[in-house]
Amino acid sequence: MTTKTHHRHLLLLISTFFHLSTTIFAIGVNYGTLGNNLPPPSQVAKFIKTQTIIDSIKIFDTNPDVLRAFANTGISVTVTVGNGDIPALANINNARRWVVANIAPFYPRTRINRIVVGNEILASANKAWITNLVPAMRNIHNALLSARIRGIQVTTPNSLGILSISEPPSAGRFRNGFDRVIFAPMLQFLRETKSPFMVNPYPYFGYSPQMANYALFKRNRGIHDRFIGITYYNMYDAMLDAVYSAMKKLGYGDVGIVVGETGWPSLCDPGQPACSVENAAWFNGNLIRRDHQRRGTPLMPNRRFETFIFSLFNENLKPGPTAERNWGLFRPDFSPVYNIGIMHNGQPIGGRHGGRNRCGPRPAPRVGGGKRWCVPKTGANDQALQANINYACSQGVDCRPIQAGGACFDPNNVRSHASFIMNSFYQTHGRQDFACDFAHTGFLTSLNPSHGACRYL
C-alpha cells in the first residue's frame, strides 16, 4: 500500500489460493445493485458483518437504504457522486447542499471514508463533466470541511484509457491535453488533501490467448521494459507501473494509488475462453496473495494497494455480454460463485452456504484423503524445472532453503531444488490441483518428500 493507505484497512481477498488457518485478512468489494433478485441492503450488511471478513465496500451512488443498513457495522463505505451531478457541484453552494443531503444524515454512524466523484469521467467524452470534475472534487472537500466533517477523502476513479502510452510501463504518460489541464490540478488536489489517485486496472480486458498467462499471473516469458531493464511477468503490475510513471512525469509520484475496481468474470458467452471459475479464482487469489506479501510492483516495491474487488454479487440486469453479469464473488442467495475463503469460519465452497459450483466445473477431486505434495514428473527436464524455480521464486515463494547453506540445498541439483520450490508454490496457493501443473511438469503425491533437515510444507 501507499503510506496513507497502509494505515487504513488491509483490503485483501482470501481466495482459493490462500490456506486459511489462524490468520484472517480483509477484503474490499464493489457492491453493485443492478439486479432484480438481489437481497435487501439490510440482509447484505448483516451477511457481510457476521459471515465474511469483508471490511470495506464501494457503492456507485449514495443510496440511503444502503447507508442506513451499514450504520454501526464498522464497515467502511466509499460512496459515489453521479456523473450527471458534476457540473452543478462546480458551484460551492450546490456542493454544500449535496453534502448536507447525502453525507451528513449518515456520518459518522455509517463509516463513510471516501467520496468518489463520478466514474471514469475522462472516458466519457462529456466536456461538461470533464471540465468540471476537479472543481467539483475541490468543492465537495470544502463542503465537508464547512460541515465539520473530516477524515473523508475525495477522489475519482479512472480507467486505464487515461494513458496515451502504457507500454512499456516506464514510458507511461497521460493523454495529451489532459495531462496538464486535468491531471496536474487533480493530483495537486489529491496531494494537498492526502487522498489517493484511484484507478481501475483490468487485465481481463487485455486478455488474448497469446497473453493469457501474462494476464492471469501464470508462468510466462515476461515482457521486457528496455528503458529500465526490468522484465514484467504480469499485466497487472505493468498497468499500475504505467500509471505511476505517468504521475511521476508530472511530478506527483508521491501521491498514493488505490485500486477502485479489478477482478475477473467467471462466465462468458460461448467461444470466449477468458472466462471460467478457475481463471476468476486464480486471478483474484494471486492478486491478493501478492499484496499480502507486500511485494508491490517493480517501480513501487513493498507497497500494498488498497483494493476493491469487482464485485460482490452477480447482477442480472447489467447490460452487455454475459460476462457483465458474472463478476460476482457471490450469487444473490449469498452462496459463493467459486472457491473462496472469505467466510468467517474459513470454510471453502460447500461449507455452511453449500454453494454448488453452478457457473463452471468443480476442481478435479483429490485422490486419497490425506495431505499431498507437489513434485516434478519423472520425465521433466532440467531446463523446464529451472524455469519452474524461477517462476515460483518470482511469485513470492521463499527460496532461501535451496540456497547455499539452506536446509534444502543438498542434494545440490535442479530436480531436488525444483521439488521443494514447486511444492512450496502449491501449498501456498490453495493446494488446488492446477497449482501443481507447471506446464504439465508437476504431479501430486501422497508420499512426503521431506528428507533430513529439509522439511516440506
Side-chain angles (χ1 to χ4, degrees), residues 17-250:
F17 313 100
F18 250 86
H19 175 58
L20 290 180
S21 53
T22 59
T23 304
I24 297 296
F25 302 96
I27 164 182
V29 295
N30 286 272
Y31 171 21
T33 55
L34 292 178
N36 60 12
N37 57 355
L38 297 178
S42 58
Q43 291 183 16
V44 175
K46 182 179 179 180
F47 171 74
I48 290 176
K49 174 69 174 177
T50 63
Q51 301 296 322
T52 80
I53 60 170
I54 295 169
D55 80 339
S56 186
I57 65 167
K58 176 169 162 279
I59 61 176
F60 295 92
D61 50 27
T62 54
N63 186 326
D65 292 333
V66 173
L67 295 179
R68 279 190 290 265
F70 280 86
N72 303 315
T73 61
I75 296 168
S76 298
V77 180
T78 293
V79 301
T80 301
V81 173
N83 293 356
D85 293 334
I86 291 174
L89 293 174
N91 178 292
I92 185 61
N93 292 324
N94 290 335
R96 288 172 178 155
R97 283 190 285 268
W98 188 92
V99 167
V100 168
N102 295 284
I103 303 299
F106 310 102
Y107 182 87
R109 291 181 63 220
T110 300
R111 188 185 286 181
I112 301 170
N113 69 329
R114 187 176 294 121
I115 298 169
V116 295
V117 180
N119 188 44
E120 300 187 349
I121 294 301
L122 277 300
S124 71
N126 187 307
K127 292 183 179 179
W129 296 354
I130 293 171
T131 57
N132 288 295
L133 177 58
V134 176
M137 292 169 64
R138 285 193 174 275
N139 284 343
I140 289 290
H141 172 74
N142 291 331
L144 289 169
L145 297 182
S146 296
R148 297 183 179 180
I149 296 174
R150 288 168 172 78
I152 297 181
Q153 298 176 330
V154 179
T155 187
T156 186
N158 295 280
S159 74
L160 271 291
I162 59 176
L163 302 179
S164 61
I165 300 174
S166 60
E167 295 178 1
S170 64
R173 184 180 296 275
F174 290 120
R175 289 164 55 185
N176 293 335
F178 286 156
D179 48 359
R180 298 289 175 182
V181 176
I182 301 295
F183 288 109
M186 180 188 296
L187 289 163
Q188 179 63 31
F189 164 76
L190 296 176
R191 175 188 281 168
E192 292 170 359
T193 59
K194 296 180 172 60
S195 299
F197 189 68
M198 183 175 282
V199 294
N200 299 340
Y202 277 104
Y204 167 74
F205 292 113
Y207 177 94
S208 68
Q210 297 76 22
M211 301 288 282
N213 287 356
Y214 186 62
L216 281 163
F217 297 106
K218 294 185 177 181
R219 193 178 74 174
N220 62 91
R221 298 177 61 184
I223 295 179
H224 190 68
D225 187 331
R226 66 186 184 279
F227 297 113
I228 54 176
I230 290 175
T231 298
Y232 283 80
Y233 291 98
N234 67 81
M235 190 182 297
Y236 186 79
D237 278 0
M239 287 177 164
L240 288 180
D241 275 356
V243 172
Y244 170 76
S245 295
M247 295 167 64
K248 190 175 180 181
K249 284 180 174 64
L250 290 181

Side-chain angles (χ1 to χ4, degrees), residues 283-303:
F283 177 83
N284 286 330
N286 276 278
L287 172 72
I288 302 309
R289 177 185 59 81
R290 295 169 67 262
D291 187 58
H292 166 57
Q293 294 171 343
R294 204 174 296 174
R295 293 183 56 213
T297 67
L299 296 184
M300 296 178 285
N302 305 318
R303 285 199 191 185

Side-chain angles (χ1 to χ4, degrees), residues 351-362:
R352 63 188 298 174
H353 286 282
R356 280 188 300 168
N357 195 341
R358 293 175 295 213
C359 289
R362 290 179 178 270

Side-chain angles (χ1 to χ4, degrees), residues 219 379-390 414-415 418 441:
R219 193 178 74 174
N381 61 45
D382 283 358
Q383 182 179 1
L385 296 180
Q386 184 61 53
N388 294 346
I389 294 172
N390 296 344
V414 173
R415 176 168 290 273
T441 62

